[in-house]
Amino acid sequence: GAVGAGSPAVPGVVAQFHLTDAIFQPKIASHQASARQFGATAARNDTLRDAAVAYLELVRAEHGLAISKESLENTGKLTELTRQYAESGQGLQSDHQRLEAELALRQEELVSREEDVEVASARLAQVLHADPSILIQSGEPTVIPLNLLEIEDGPASYVETGLTRRPELAEQKHLVCE
């Protein structure tokens, strides 16, 4: 009946653990959770940036298409005028032929701009996980410049502030602390 030579005489629960685990495991779990949260924020920021860039590319393509349509319309009017002048003898036939060639170039440019709009729409749909076969339209009549902040201290201070507040850096900091 030596002490410690066998099972305890009275049935009970035996617990054996490291004191360091009891102290540090909650802190490690907290750092893991924080790192994952900052990682999710970084992923969300990347997705928002990609969507904004794709949307602005769509707006650019739509405005290019509008310019091409107006250019084609004006070239068509000018071609008709030169045709009338050439038929009446007041203008040269070569001027009319030159404008017909220009009109054909403008028509090709219009087709190219329509393709640009379709590609930009498909890319935006891909970023948004939407059906790329459905044409997305921005509905922006004009491009309005975005003024996100007023630069007072100079760009260097804003770059420094932006880099120190990156969620990727906070994520890595918490992973190191873990």
Side-chain angles (χ1 to χ4, degrees), residues 5 11 16 20 39 43 78-79 86 91 124 140 148 169-170 172 176:
Q16 192 176 31
T20 56
L78 192 56
T79 302
L124 178 58
E140 296 284 339
L148 298 176
L169 294 175
Q172 293 302 316
V176 167

Side-chain angles (χ1 to χ4, degrees), residues 67-86:
I67 290 169
S68 291
K69 284 180 180 178
E70 184 177 351
S71 178
L72 177 65
E73 181 182 321
N74 292 337
T75 305
K77 289 177 184 177
L78 192 56
T79 302
E80 181 59 27
L81 284 173
T82 57
R83 183 191 62 76
Q84 290 173 0
Y85 275 105

Side-chain angles (χ1 to χ4, degrees), residues 125-157:
Q126 183 180 18
V127 170
L128 299 175
H129 300 291
D131 184 8
S133 64
I134 297 174
L135 186 65
I136 298 173
Q137 295 178 339
S138 70
E140 296 284 339
T142 59
V143 178
I144 299 171
L146 297 174
N147 199 4
L148 298 176
L149 57 100
E150 296 294 326
I151 298 179
E152 297 167 0
D153 297 336
S157 65

Side-chain angles (χ1 to χ4, degrees), residues 42-66:
R44 184 178 69 238
N45 288 349
D46 289 344
T47 302
L48 288 172
R49 181 204 59 224
D50 293 345
V53 168
Y55 177 76
L56 290 174
E57 183 61 27
L58 175 64
V59 170
R60 185 205 58 78
E62 287 178 343
H63 285 269
L65 177 62

